[in-house]
Amino acid sequence: MMVLAPWACNPAHTKGRLHEEQSKSGGEGERGPRDAYQRDRDRIVHSIAFRRLRHKTQVFLAPDGDHFRVRLTHSLEVAQIGRTIARTLGLNEDLTEALCLAHDIGHPPFGHAGEDALKAAMASAGGFDHNGHTLRTLMRIERAYPRFDGLNLTWETLEGLAKHNGPARHPGWALAEADRETNLALETYASLEAQVAALADDVAYDNHDIDDGLRAGLLSLDQLLAVPLIAGGWDRVRSLFPDVSERRQARELVRSQIGVMVNDLLVETRRRIADSRIGSVADVRSAGRALVAFSDEMRTAERDLKRFMYANLYHHPKQLEAAKAAHRVVAGLFAVFHASPDALPPEWRASLPNEEPGFSRHIADYIAGMTDRYAIREYIRVVGPVDMPDGF
């Protein structure tokens, strides 16, 4: 068994779960020799919300091709990178993996286009935020257990999901609601495991979106080589593998860049831990800054890459056209269900609150849980034919 660093989260010292759990035998041992964070990871993997990620957009909406990434495969790739970083730093791999796997569970169908539509539709009911909805899904909407709603995850997992991108000093209503139940100390930084999950997400989508963009023909190598970080990596790959096809070189470029970014992160994180004299998990939370980070040079290069990706992939005319169509689907569904709640499925209609904002939030819960293809089917059922661009 790996020895944890002093600043790693230890399941033996968890702050526990909101609801007490006890089996007939007096403990949880009858379900296997798993610690608290291993149980959290397994509960996430076995949840309905996690399974639905296989049909939710990552970059390309409702992709026809089998080779493009979706939210599920993205989350698995984030977890792979996160575990590698956690193991190298002596952190808790199981907590890191749980956070990586769950970080996108709150995303509605069609990615950010769907989120923008729900945010606008919910403006008078507090808006919508996918991070807050992750907590809402895992604490309320999932119904797998006989004595409580949600998955009853440990405090550390909930805290990490709430704050993996840093302190949440101005939480939306869903995150504020979760905080009132569990006191997530939103004003402080989260554990190193949560910080690793956040950077593993960046490393994964920075590089894997390049792979998907090239495969879709929306990006070209000539365009990418205008980005200094990519140009340097391309030169290395070409020198190592001069005799293989450009397609294979491009795949190697993506793998190589992940390694470069992870190695930079490890060096900078170790430096920050040493400089801040971190000796415990409490020190991490009171450090006043992120400790898992890229170097200044890599952070600048990574931001340049993100600007390039927004300009050339995420805001590509074909992507914007698809996003408009997706926005119409989500907005149309919300409008119909809000005006005619009898159109909701029976189980959702039966638990619909009568008053606002609960009325609107319940409808948003239903829509946010949809996969891309289910949202399209529901739109056809309650609205009519879907006007989608070619190739959607």
Side-chain angles (χ1 to χ4, degrees):
M1 179 180 293
M2 179 179 174
V3 177
L4 295 175
W7 43 80
C9 286
N10 189 327
H13 302 145
T14 176
K15 293 186 180 181
R17 307 181 189 277
L18 183 61
H19 304 286
E20 183 179 351
E21 297 182 21
Q22 190 173 29
S23 69
K24 292 179 181 179
S25 63
E28 291 188 313
E30 66 183 39
R31 294 189 177 179
R34 295 171 296 163
D35 65 40
Y37 301 148
Q38 290 172 321
R39 290 179 188 278
D40 281 2
R41 177 203 57 212
D42 295 350
R43 291 178 184 196
I44 290 162
V45 168
H46 292 295
S47 69
I48 291 173
F50 182 74
R51 292 198 292 274
R52 283 198 297 256
L53 295 179
R54 65 179 172 166
H55 293 299
K56 288 195 175 190
T57 290
Q58 176 60 21
V59 173
F60 297 97
L61 306 183
D64 291 327
D66 294 332
H67 298 163
F68 293 112
R69 287 166 176 85
V70 293
R71 288 283 167 191
L72 179 62
T73 55
H74 166 70
S75 297
L76 294 172
E77 289 168 340
V78 174
Q80 181 186 34
I81 294 169
R83 283 194 72 111
T84 297
I85 297 170
R87 181 178 301 172
T88 305
L89 294 174
L91 304 179
N92 190 287
E93 292 181 47
D94 298 307
L95 177 58
T96 303
E97 185 177 23
L99 294 168
C100 291
L101 292 172
H103 81 283
D104 270 354
I105 273 179
H107 269 285
F110 311 119
H112 292 289
E115 180 167 6
D116 290 343
L118 272 186
K119 188 179 297 183
M122 287 276 290
S124 62
F128 180 89
D129 163 58
H130 76 264
N131 196 49
H133 195 70
T134 293
L135 274 292
R136 184 170 173 83
T137 300
L138 296 175
M139 294 177 68
R140 290 179 177 272
I141 298 174
E142 282 287 318
R143 304 285 169 83
Y145 295 91
R147 290 184 296 219
F148 49 79
D149 291 341
L151 301 184
N152 201 29
L153 303 175
T154 61
W155 185 90
E156 292 78 18
T157 296
L158 297 176
E159 180 224 20
L161 292 170
K163 303 186 301 187
H164 60 279
N165 287 320
R169 297 187 177 91
H170 305 287
W173 66 268
L175 187 52
E177 193 175 71
D179 183 50
R180 282 193 295 272
E181 277 196 89
T182 55
N183 187 20
L184 296 170
L186 296 180
E187 71 284 354
T188 67
Y189 281 86
S191 64
L192 289 178
E193 286 82 358
Q195 295 181 39
V196 165
L199 269 293
D201 184 28
D202 283 349
V203 172
Y205 77 72
D206 281 346
N207 292 287
H208 293 146
D209 289 358
I210 289 174
D211 189 28
D212 281 352
L214 288 170
R215 184 180 297 278
L218 301 188
L219 294 178
S220 70
L221 274 171
D222 286 343
Q223 286 176 299
L224 282 164
L225 293 180
V227 182
L229 180 63
I230 300 300
W234 182 244
D235 289 342
R236 288 193 300 274
V237 168
R238 295 270 288 186
S239 66
L240 288 170
F241 305 100
D243 300 324
V244 302
S245 69
E246 193 173 84
R247 185 181 185 87
R248 289 195 175 193
Q249 288 173 335
R251 298 292 299 278
E252 179 61 26
L253 169 68
V254 170
R255 286 191 291 271
S256 174
Q257 288 299 113
I258 291 173
V260 168
M261 295 176 77
V262 167
N263 287 335
D264 178 272
L265 181 155
L266 289 170
V267 170
E268 178 65 15
T269 299
R270 288 189 177 112
R271 186 188 69 78
R272 291 189 178 209
I273 289 172
D275 288 352
S276 299
R277 299 182 180 180
I278 300 299
S280 67
V281 177
D283 290 344
V284 172
R285 294 196 173 100
S286 63
R289 65 169 181 161
L291 298 172
V292 179
F294 295 123
S295 66
D296 289 344
E297 181 181 5
M298 179 59 72
R299 185 168 62 252
T300 298
E302 195 260 349
R303 286 174 179 171
D304 288 342
L305 174 59
K306 274 189 169 63
R307 281 192 288 269
F308 169 87
M309 295 295 284
Y310 273 96
N312 294 280
L313 180 61
Y314 308 137
H315 292 167
H316 189 283
K318 288 187 176 180
Q319 290 290 83
L320 294 178
E321 184 183 7
K324 287 180 182 178
H327 195 286
R328 287 195 299 270
V329 170
V330 173
L333 286 172
F334 189 92
V336 168
F337 292 137
H338 199 275
S340 305
D342 285 347
L344 287 165
E347 64 272 23
W348 283 89
R349 189 168 64 244
S351 54
L352 181 66
N354 293 320
E355 306 295 331
E356 293 286 8
F359 182 85
S360 291
R361 291 174 180 178
H362 188 77
I363 293 170
D365 287 342
Y366 175 53
I367 295 173
M370 294 178 181
T371 61
D372 293 15
R373 63 184 187 176
Y374 182 75
I376 292 171
R377 288 203 302 268
E378 279 291 87
Y379 187 91
I380 292 170
R381 179 179 72 86
V382 302
V383 180
V386 181
D387 181 20
M388 292 294 184
D390 292 339
F392 187 85

